[in-house]
Amino acid sequence: MLPPLPDFSLSVEQQFDLQKYRQQVRNISREALEDLFIEVVRQKMAHENIFKGMIRQGS
């Protein structure tokens, strides 16, 4: 049987920050939002690569 998954919920501070970001993006152009989205995806991919590398080193 698999172990239970960790809790991935956001802290109160993270929820507050997320709400601030929601308000900020309302005033950004579509082109700027597209650029930001691509950057977020790139950083997520880089984060995954770092995580995978750490797992490989630990094996």
Side-chain angles (χ1 to χ4, degrees), residues 1-56:
M1 183 165 190
L2 295 173
L5 291 174
D7 181 13
F8 292 113
S9 60
L10 300 177
S11 69
V12 173
E13 182 179 351
Q14 290 170 322
Q15 291 176 29
F16 180 75
D17 287 342
L18 190 58
Q19 185 60 31
K20 287 193 309 187
Y21 292 127
R22 279 190 182 115
Q23 292 171 357
Q24 289 175 355
V25 298
R26 290 184 181 134
N27 300 319
I28 298 177
S29 71
R30 180 181 171 101
E31 182 179 344
L33 285 174
E34 289 173 359
D35 292 342
L36 286 170
F37 176 77
I38 295 301
E39 179 60 18
V40 167
V41 171
R42 186 195 69 74
Q43 288 183 19
K44 180 182 176 293
M45 290 175 176
H47 181 264
E48 290 171 355
N49 290 343
I50 291 168
F51 186 72
K52 288 176 187 176
M54 290 172 67
I55 290 174
R56 274 189 236 117

